[in-house]
Amino acid sequence: MTENTSPATEALADPASADSAVDGSAADSTQATREASRPASGSVVPDLTAPDHTKRNNRVIWLLLSATFVVILNETIMSVAIPKLMDDLRIDALAAQWLSTAFMLTMAVVIPITGFLLQRYSTRAIFIAAMSLFSLGTLAAALAPGFPVLVGARVVQASGTAIMIPLLMTTLMTLVPPHKRGRTMGNVSIVISVAPAIGPTISGFILNYLDWRWIFLLVLPIALVMLLIGMKFVENVTEPEKVKIDVLSVILSAFGFGGLIYGLSQTGATGGGSSSVVMWVSLGIGVVALAAFILRQLLLQRQNRALLDLRTFKAPIFTVAISLMAVITAAMFGVIIVLPLYLQHVLHLDTLATGLLLLPGGLVMGLLAPFVGRLYDRFGPRVLVVPGSIVVSLALWSLTMVTEHTSPYMVLAAHVGFSVGLALMFTPLFTAGLGAVVPHLYSHASAIVGTVQQVAGAAGTALLVAILSVHTATLVAGGESIDQATAGGIRMAFLAAAIISLFAVVGSFFIRKPADVIAPEGAFAH
């Protein structure tokens, strides 16, 4: 097995060690901690002759962070390009939506499989595969002769993106000791927040002066450089296991998560008739397949063969954290879609102005992330998540008052407040949730987090867009102008998001720090 941490550090990553250190008297606690951190030699002193892999581990983490930044940037850089693509490719809005729908479907199908991939193959092999797929998809998109090839290229891109994010999370949890994870996860939050923030701005700038193909031509050389650097410097930091994949689980996962995502993505576009039937059939297939998938995993995990090991939910902190992430992700993705619609269709800002207005919020999230990580390491998640959820909720309630005459600066202030709240929540939830899981389930936990985020994001988007569409149509039928009706529909959509946020406020009081972070001082006392 490739060594990546000292024995004492490995002990820190074992929640059982910390639990034994918490229970009982002070003397028993100290002894239990020492026993839990005892190396194979029997000495309580860490093995100082073991190779120091700190530089290697840091290099791997930073390379994965940089690569993840590139793939997330690509995911959001398309958001303001749809109208341009509709004109150039001569397609309607329903067809153009497949550029986003196909991406989400692929993510939903591939992410559940990453738990198996991360166990079966080495870090280096997974990185090369992910960035190769992403680079190939980006090249195909840049050279696409027409719409079908462009959709296929987006599918290939999404395959690489789906692998990269769980790879980063699992590697981080494996290499970083618990008492430093908050700070490191803060760096991850920078990537997750800044890349989506600057994506629409870059896209708007490119589309103002260049052809849409330059969106991909800009990303391609960066992706290729990251691939070449990774091939040279990314080393294996985990030991692959010869686990077998359960084909039936893969099929059930594809129909379950894929059916849900597709059905939810069609909610806002349905106008009755056959489209409504397709939506309900897709959702029905998704629910039935997902139920069968869950039952299958419960059976297979007894033999440690589950595609997604659901024993991660036996950790109450993980369950609470992932529930909160689902709630705020649903609200966040809905706002990401609805807010630009309001700025462009009601306030009549152009794409570049829209991107620039949304940029400060993402930058604020990125700037706050390292400080939030340090505060988590010192004080735990609750002192951050509780005020964060309240700030998110207040920002959403303020957006329920927008009209066709609202100042863009008021929207800017609300979006910055919304981003501050998210910054206070994401890092603690990721860190506490994954840190509560036993180490051999890190890959499964990372895959579950990614899958839940995709489903929650699709659900939030579908809900808010559907409410927006229905209420706008009702107001137009009642005689209001298009601007007034659209503003009214957007207010109702934000009202739904604000109500959803109240569940996050309540749930935030139940989050706490995993017990394994109690051990560092005891483990390294000598």
Side-chain angles (χ1 to χ4, degrees), residues 325-405:
M325 277 190 276
V327 171
I328 63 172
T329 300
M332 182 184 72
F333 272 72
V335 169
I336 287 174
I337 295 297
V338 172
L339 198 53
L341 290 176
Y342 170 73
L343 294 172
Q344 294 181 43
H345 294 171
V346 179
L347 298 186
H348 304 292
L349 301 181
D350 60 27
T351 54
L352 182 57
T354 299
L356 289 173
L357 190 142
L358 298 178
L359 179 61
L363 295 180
V364 166
M365 284 186 68
L367 291 171
L368 285 177
F371 299 102
V372 172
R374 292 185 179 93
L375 290 172
Y376 171 88
D377 287 336
R378 184 172 182 181
F379 299 108
R382 191 175 298 172
V383 297
L384 297 164
V385 174
V386 171
S389 64
I390 294 173
V391 171
V392 166
S393 188
L394 290 175
L396 289 172
W397 283 104
S398 71
L399 289 172
T400 63
M401 298 182 288
V402 296
T403 69
E404 65 273 23
H405 304 298

Side-chain angles (χ1 to χ4, degrees), residues 185-352:
M185 198 66 79
N187 294 329
V188 175
S189 296
I190 296 176
V191 169
I192 294 175
S193 56
V194 173
I198 67 175
T201 306
I202 293 174
S203 181
F205 182 82
I206 292 173
L207 293 173
N208 269 11
Y209 302 102
L210 300 169
D211 183 77
W212 60 266
R213 296 180 188 276
W214 282 94
I215 290 177
F216 302 105
L217 290 172
L218 174 72
V219 173
L220 179 60
I222 303 174
L224 290 174
V225 168
M226 292 308 309
L227 173 60
L228 294 175
I229 293 175
M231 291 174 68
K232 181 175 178 60
F233 292 108
V234 169
E235 301 178 46
N236 297 325
V237 295
T238 57
E239 180 184 8
E241 301 175 24
K242 292 184 178 180
V243 293
K244 294 182 179 180
I245 192 168
D246 182 61
V247 177
L248 180 57
S249 292
V250 175
I251 295 172
L252 291 174
S253 168
F255 278 97
F257 295 113
L260 285 177
I261 294 290
Y262 181 69
L264 290 168
S265 70
Q266 297 302 298
T267 303
T270 55
S274 60
S275 58
S276 181
V277 172
V278 170
M279 180 195 73
W280 286 111
V281 169
S282 178
L283 288 174
I285 291 174
V287 170
V288 173
L290 184 58
F293 174 79
I294 291 173
L295 292 175
R296 180 74 175 167
Q297 304 319 295
L298 292 175
L299 292 174
L300 291 177
Q301 68 188 26
R302 298 174 183 175
Q303 308 166 30
N304 292 322
R305 293 180 52 224
L307 185 67
L308 275 185
D309 200 315
L310 303 181
R311 284 176 293 187
T312 53
F313 288 100
K314 288 186 176 181
I317 298 175
F318 177 79
T319 303
V320 172
I322 202 168
S323 299
L324 286 172
M325 277 190 276
V327 171
I328 63 172
T329 300
M332 182 184 72
F333 272 72
V335 169
I336 287 174
I337 295 297
V338 172
L339 198 53
L341 290 176
Y342 170 73
L343 294 172
Q344 294 181 43
H345 294 171
V346 179
L347 298 186
H348 304 292
L349 301 181
D350 60 27
T351 54
L352 182 57

